[in-house]
Amino acid sequence: MVKTLKDIDIENKKVIIRCDFNVPIENNHIIDDKRIISSLETINYCLSKNCKIILMSHLGRIKEENDLKKNDLRIVAKRLSEVLKIDFKFINKTRGKELEDAINKMKPKQIILMQNTRYEDLIGKKESTNDSELSSYWASLGDVFINDAFATAHRAHASNIGIASHLPNAIGFLVEKELAHLEELKCPEKPFTVILGGKKVSDKIGVIENLITKVDYLLIGGGMAFTFLKAEGYKTGMSIIDDENIEFCKKILKKYEDKIILPVDVRVNKEFKNEGTIKQRDITEIDDNEMGLDLGEKTTANFEKILSKSKTVFWNGPLGVYELENFKIATDKILNYLVDNNIKTILGGGDIVASAKNAGVIDKIYYASTGGGATLEYLEGKELPGLVE
Ligand code: AMP
């Protein structure tokens, strides 16, 4: 069992907290600070225990020199200092004298955020390959390690499993909360319905295989529905198809035909854009030059009927191209239905959480996970390498 924050002694210690400040940024603005706000509980607890706190996080990916500026954590430091309202320092380094001096001068209840851990990926991918020299160096900066970065827990990086292998360690409150909610899905109140959308079948095969025996219903929408429809023999026009997984869809549909619910109608366009000749089509009527970009009204009503009977719902992936105003209709309608009918719903994955935010219902959802890949891998039944003791 992984230890939790309250299981270990952190009083007066130098605590390294691996946060997930990988926030979405547009035009130099953080457009969603949920991940920053979600980290405060652990940080405040460590402050209450008189700790000196060293915060670490990645931001984006660093493959070349140009990525450094784009993924500078300074923007997070600014937002963090606004919400923390206490003595706080950003160090524009991931190692070296400036960082070490700043840490040596720290007093209890002070906080340092170091630069993006993935700056260490520029030469030799040291963070992402869990380089042993890097992890032991980072570990040397503190006394205790707390992993509160759930969204990267499916990766074995120097800043999670690497540091943890050198120091007494525990998970933070955010990771604890995420695991507790996902754990609820292992023994859900029934009927249990899973909604899967998004683009590719390939990303969801593990989850489908692991959850199909536990669910009462599996509702399939989004682009991935067209691969299932093609497997059933329908003409899907120019809709997105994951050809490599048609056989998988055939097999799973045959075995679990009573549980898997596919669309009966969709909203189509001739191009992948918001404007055009948008029509509602039964799935037997999709023209060769049309692509399905959202679910239709009959399908939405079918889904609502099943959800009305459900006591627990897990949802990953939007039901249509929610980034386009004309094709987010089904996703918004179902989100509102779940909220209006008080159906216990756990959302997992960046796109569906963003949809719920855009639809203004996020605060009424039972739980929105901060993890995407990590949430799916956990539900696939895999051990998350970043959380291994
Ligand atoms: P994923 O990362 O596989 O969960 O996919 C999320 C993406 O799926 C979003 O960017 C949606 O725009 C996209 N998506 C949803 N429905 C469709 C569709 N019918 N055709 C193409 N892309 C879609």
Side-chain angles (χ1 to χ4, degrees):
M1 257 280 284
V2 184
K3 287 200 182 76
T4 59
L5 187 45
K6 289 190 176 164
D7 295 330
I8 62 167
D9 177 20
I10 58 165
E11 195 105 36
N12 299 314
K13 299 222 157 103
K14 252 188 293 178
V15 177
I16 301 172
I17 310 177
R18 171 56 158 105
C19 299
D20 181 351
F21 295 142
N22 187 31
V23 289
I25 295 169
E26 261 173 35
N27 301 325
N28 245 344
H29 282 286
I30 296 174
I31 53 170
D32 180 7
D33 64 2
K34 181 176 189 297
R35 285 181 167 172
I36 297 177
I37 303 296
S38 304
S39 71
L40 295 182
E41 198 184 344
T42 293
I43 298 174
N44 283 325
Y45 177 78
C46 294
L47 286 172
S48 77
K49 296 285 177 191
N50 262 332
C51 298
K52 299 171 183 172
I53 300 173
I54 303 153
L55 300 176
M56 302 176 91
S57 174
H58 76 286
L59 178 63
R61 291 213 172 121
I62 307 288
K63 289 185 178 149
E64 53 189 34
E65 202 76 32
N66 282 341
D67 296 330
L68 295 175
K69 193 156 179 259
K70 214 167 48 198
N71 296 303
D72 188 331
L73 260 191
R74 209 177 306 248
I75 186 168
V76 168
K78 189 165 172 289
R79 182 76 192 114
L80 191 60
S81 67
E82 285 161 9
V83 291
L84 274 171
K85 300 187 190 89
I86 65 148
D87 198 0
F88 173 85
K89 205 173 207 163
F90 175 69
I91 303 290
N92 183 21
K93 291 277 183 291
T94 50
R95 60 165 90 210
K97 189 165 180 323
E98 185 186 341
L99 178 65
E100 291 155 24
D101 285 351
I103 292 171
N104 289 337
K105 281 188 205 141
M106 282 176 99
K107 299 198 173 68
K109 292 187 194 289
Q110 287 188 334
I111 302 179
I112 279 178
L113 169 66
M114 70 165 79
Q115 185 53 280
N116 184 352
T117 54
R118 288 195 185 159
Y119 273 33
E120 292 285 341
D121 276 351
L122 187 62
I123 299 163
K125 282 192 152 284
K126 295 200 173 89
E127 153 75 322
S128 298
T129 56
N130 187 13
D131 177 82
S132 61
E133 180 273 327
L134 180 62
S135 66
S136 65
Y137 170 71
W138 277 342
S140 73
L141 303 174
D143 307 317
V144 177
F145 176 64
I146 306 298
N147 186 359
D148 213 18
F150 181 72
T152 40
H154 59 315
R155 308 270 183 242
H157 287 175
S159 67
N160 55 27
I161 187 77
I163 305 179
S165 67
H166 297 282
L167 290 178
N169 64 85
I171 53 170
F173 293 131
L174 174 62
V175 171
E176 197 180 349
K177 211 182 298 173
E178 293 275 2
L179 294 177
H181 282 102
L182 296 181
E183 206 56 27
E184 281 183 55
L185 297 177
K186 291 196 174 156
C187 246
E189 197 182 345
K190 304 264 252 165
F192 174 35
T193 298
V194 168
I195 311 174
L196 291 181
K199 222 171 350 199
K200 286 196 256 150
V201 177
S202 56
D203 297 346
K204 320 272 157 101
I205 288 179
V207 178
I208 295 174
E209 281 177 331
N210 198 41
L211 288 183
I212 193 75
T213 52
K214 302 188 179 85
V215 302
D216 296 284
Y217 302 102
L218 173 60
L219 312 183
I220 297 194
M224 63 183 277
F226 295 95
T227 307
F228 279 87
L229 290 170
K230 193 165 178 190
E232 289 271 76
Y234 292 102
K235 287 188 172 167
T236 52
M238 298 197 306
S239 308
I240 187 168
I241 297 292
D242 191 349
D243 277 311
E244 282 172 17
N245 290 303
I246 290 185
E247 277 314 306
F248 166 79
C249 294
K250 276 188 190 161
K251 249 190 261 161
I252 204 101
L253 281 165
K254 192 161 169 219
K255 197 160 173 200
Y256 298 100
E257 60 177 346
D258 297 342
K259 289 188 177 191
I260 300 177
I261 315 293
L262 297 180
V264 291
D265 62 348
V266 292
R267 284 160 56 75
V268 299
N269 201 356
K270 291 198 167 120
E271 285 175 85
F272 191 89
K273 60 181 195 187
N274 195 39
E275 277 77 36
T277 328
I278 301 169
K279 290 188 179 144
Q280 189 143 259
R281 295 274 197 213
D282 279 358
I283 46 152
T284 50
E285 295 173 339
I286 301 171
D287 276 350
D288 290 348
N289 62 354
E290 290 174 338
M291 59 179 80
L293 298 178
D294 199 2
L295 302 183
E297 280 168 18
K298 287 186 220 162
T299 307
T300 310
N302 280 353
F303 280 16
E304 286 178 356
K305 209 188 287 165
I306 289 163
L307 293 167
S308 71
K309 299 183 262 185
S310 306
K311 290 272 187 295
T312 314
V313 173
F314 172 72
W315 185 352
N316 172 273
L319 300 177
V321 184
Y322 78 100
E323 298 93 334
L324 303 176
E325 204 61 23
N326 284 327
F327 300 104
K328 62 173 195 176
I329 297 172
T331 304
D332 278 7
K333 188 134 192 292
I334 298 287
L335 279 167
N336 276 291
Y337 184 85
L338 290 165
V339 163
D340 292 346
N341 291 281
N342 236 340
I343 299 166
K344 184 176 183 178
T345 302
I346 296 182
L347 304 180
D351 290 301
I352 193 59
V353 172
S355 303
K357 228 167 270 162
N358 294 342
V361 298
I362 192 78
D363 294 335
K364 297 185 191 134
I365 291 280
Y366 174 70
Y367 192 69
S369 173
T370 57
T375 307
L376 288 184
E377 289 201 16
Y378 191 78
L379 293 177
E380 282 173 31
K382 289 188 187 156
E383 194 172 55
L384 297 178
L387 299 182
V388 172
E389 230 181 333

